[in-house]
Amino acid sequence: QVKLVESGGGSVQAGGSLRLSCAASGSTYTTYCMGWFRQAPGKKREGVAAFYTSGGSTYYTDSVKGRFTISQDNAENTLYLQMSSLKPEDTAMYYCAALPCIQRLWVEYPGPDLGYWGQGTQVTVSS
């Protein structure tokens, strides 16, 4: 069993920054790849950023490239998402996920039954 707990969301003005954290625990989470999805009201959940290989290859959706950075602290079992130059369209619930190490799983949401998911943290960006 894997447990993921997100934190760090909040409200910020456009152009601002936030850092999301995801604390991971459980005996098997190290066998998964970790990353972030988001879901805005009325929209499909989309992959935002992820480590999609055990070697640390990264995936970013086009709309966040150059603005968001994913990182992890293995000693602290924590995943981060540094978000800068935030835009109103970044407003969404952000979810931490542990999935098999396959890139396509981060490109298109695989559904809630695969892997493990946190409860989400809300990010609201005002113009």
Side-chain angles (χ1 to χ4, degrees):
Q1 191 73 8
V2 175
K3 183 177 181 181
L4 304 173
V5 179
E6 304 97 334
S7 61
S11 296
V12 64
Q13 290 192 323
S17 299
L18 283 173
R19 188 177 78 159
L20 306 184
S21 300
C22 172
S25 61
S27 61
T28 60
Y29 89 92
T30 54
T31 66
Y32 291 87
C33 282
M34 304 286 294
W36 296 91
F37 281 77
R38 68 184 179 186
Q39 188 166 18
K43 294 189 176 182
K44 295 192 299 183
R45 192 170 296 192
E46 66 168 346
V48 177
F51 293 105
Y52 67 90
T53 69
S54 58
S57 300
T58 54
Y59 163 80
Y60 293 95
T61 193
D62 287 344
S63 62
V64 308
K65 286 178 181 177
R67 300 188 298 121
F68 290 11
T69 302
I70 190 170
S71 62
Q72 58 188 10
D73 184 332
N74 291 328
E76 297 293 328
N77 298 333
T78 302
L79 182 74
Y80 300 100
L81 184 67
Q82 178 66 49
M83 306 185 295
S84 302
S85 302
L86 282 161
K87 304 176 181 181
E89 51 263 44
D90 295 317
T91 295
M93 185 72 78
Y94 284 70
Y95 298 90
C96 178
L99 296 173
C101 297
I102 303 171
Q103 185 181 13
R104 64 176 172 80
L105 297 180
W106 302 97
V107 178
E108 185 170 342
Y109 173 50
D113 296 329
L114 183 66
Y116 297 91
W117 298 83
Q119 293 300 305
T121 186
Q122 178 68 38
V123 171
T124 302
V125 184
S126 58
S127 57

